[in-house]
Amino acid sequence: MILIPLPLVFPMTTHPTQDRKILFLFPLALASLFLLGTVRFLLDNLKNNQFQFLWQSSFTRHNKFLRVPINVSEDEIIEESCNVFDGNWVWDNVSYPLYKEDSCLYLVKQVTCQRNGRPDFFYQNWRWQPHGCNLPRFNALKMLEMLRDKRLMFVGDSIQRGMFDSMVCLVQSVISDGDHSLKRVPPRKIFRIEEFNASIEYYWAPFIVESISDHATKHTVMKRLVKLDSVEKHQKLWEGVDFLVFESYVWWMHKPLINATYGTPDNVQEYNVTTAYRLALETWANWIESRISPQKQKVFFVTMSPTHLWNWEWNWKGGSDGNCFNETHPIQGRPYWGTGSNLHIMSILKDVIQKLQVNVRLLNITQLSEYRKDGHTSVFGERRGKLLTKEQRSDPKNYADCIHWCLPGVPDTWNELLYAVLLQDYRNH
């Protein structure tokens, strides 16, 4: 059957010129209505703080998305008078953990305590509550938008690697499967998010300055040696990074003295650890002053991650020779500072950073982490790359790891604090 289009019929009084005007205006009016509807739709989504990413062009080689401004809501604003590092842990099994252990494929065996047999899960359900204000809830899409076209790098030891792993898990759930990847390029691990042209990276440097322990996997040496006056090998991969997050503590605490060189490469001497730490930080600070562009880069330093090696320190009812093993709740009800945190090291770090002309911000995670004797991997982790055997697990006094942290867990809070600071920066610019 052949369909014959019917002619448009107008009243007999209509002038031919008017007919042409109507025929011209009718599609124009429809196009205008469509355009207004589209603008209204976008404005409504922006108002509701939803990120609607649209294709920029169907002919581009890579997936490019339009940048959508981040809406920082009133309840995400932190007043300058509020110290987010001062507070207490509150039980929250409704909104925490922020991700599930089995939903993040990038977690290494060292931190997957549930998979490794830990019977309780309480350590996942504590939320850090600052006194006088609230931390903004971590929003993965907002974090990724702040990282668009940028690099975030965590620099330090295995504690810092846990913070890197945490950040990857916090954002990966909102990224399409084919748009992210994890590559190991020693001494780095690089998590790449293609649709945002962004990367989250980890750089192994346990002493910040150069040492014979800088190999990404073969770093366990009997006699440590640190080059206190050089970051030359490291700086090549630090330069140009948009967000640098440094950390260095536990590796310095192995013994009271450490072998090091300063000035002359062949002159190896024993240094008191606190003296060596200051010299190393001053070397790092000189690099920060000379190579960081404050207009383009942001630098953070994470304070020491505490250890919980002796439970007599928090078990005020009686002495014991135990450790973090079998601990299921934080220390609560009173201030706590254990021997796992070195006050002298903390004062050195603050002193060096205060003298800098470049703004380096401290993420003071020490006190809040001091309370979390329950968050360590204990016997549900690895030792020298292998999970503990049944016999080793039955001997927590000698084999419990009270240094590293389970994930999900305490390092997620460190990243929530980092996110909160970045969000305030974004709002103020």
Side-chain angles (χ1 to χ4, degrees), residues 326-388:
N326 217 24
E327 296 288 347
T328 59
H329 288 72
I331 299 167
Q332 292 179 313
R334 59 185 293 181
Y336 173 76
W337 195 274
T339 56
S341 298
N342 189 305
L343 287 171
H344 195 178
I345 290 290
M346 180 74 94
S347 65
I348 291 171
L349 176 59
K350 289 182 178 179
D351 183 54
V352 171
I353 287 179
Q354 285 174 355
K355 292 177 181 178
L356 282 168
Q357 297 299 312
V358 175
N359 184 24
V360 174
R361 281 174 287 189
L362 281 177
L363 284 180
N364 191 353
I365 58 94
T366 305
Q367 178 67 87
L368 65 91
S369 304
E370 278 277 16
Y371 299 124
R372 294 304 306 274
K373 58 183 172 59
D374 61 307
H376 294 288
T377 55
S378 182
V379 297
F380 306 105
E382 291 182 317
R383 173 168 287 203
R384 296 180 180 176
K386 295 182 179 180
L387 292 174
L388 298 186

Side-chain angles (χ1 to χ4, degrees), residues 392-421:
Q392 289 171 329
R393 288 187 184 183
S394 65
D395 184 14
K397 183 178 179 180
N398 291 309
Y399 288 96
D401 181 348
C402 299
I403 297 173
H404 297 95
W405 305 89
C406 300
L407 288 176
V410 175
D412 300 324
T413 297
W414 305 345
N415 278 318
E416 285 185 278
L417 292 164
L418 175 62
Y419 167 79
V421 174

Side-chain angles (χ1 to χ4, degrees), residues 185-204:
V185 188
R188 288 185 297 163
K189 292 175 70 176
I190 305 170
F191 182 71
R192 176 79 184 162
I193 310 105
E194 295 299 335
E195 61 193 65
F196 287 87
N197 188 34
S199 66
I200 301 170
E201 305 175 31
Y202 166 69
Y203 185 99
W204 170 263

Side-chain angles (χ1 to χ4, degrees), residues 88-100 121-129 134-135 137 329-330 332 372 413 416:
N88 60 280
W89 293 95
V90 297
W91 177 255
D92 184 350
N93 62 349
V94 176
S95 53
Y96 282 76
L98 296 173
Y99 58 90
K100 298 291 186 181
F121 53 85
F122 303 122
Y123 63 93
Q124 301 181 5
N125 298 121
W126 295 96
R127 172 171 55 83
W128 179 248
Q129 177 61 59
N134 294 317
L135 279 180
R137 182 170 174 80
H329 288 72
Q332 292 179 313
R372 294 304 306 274
T413 297
E416 285 185 278

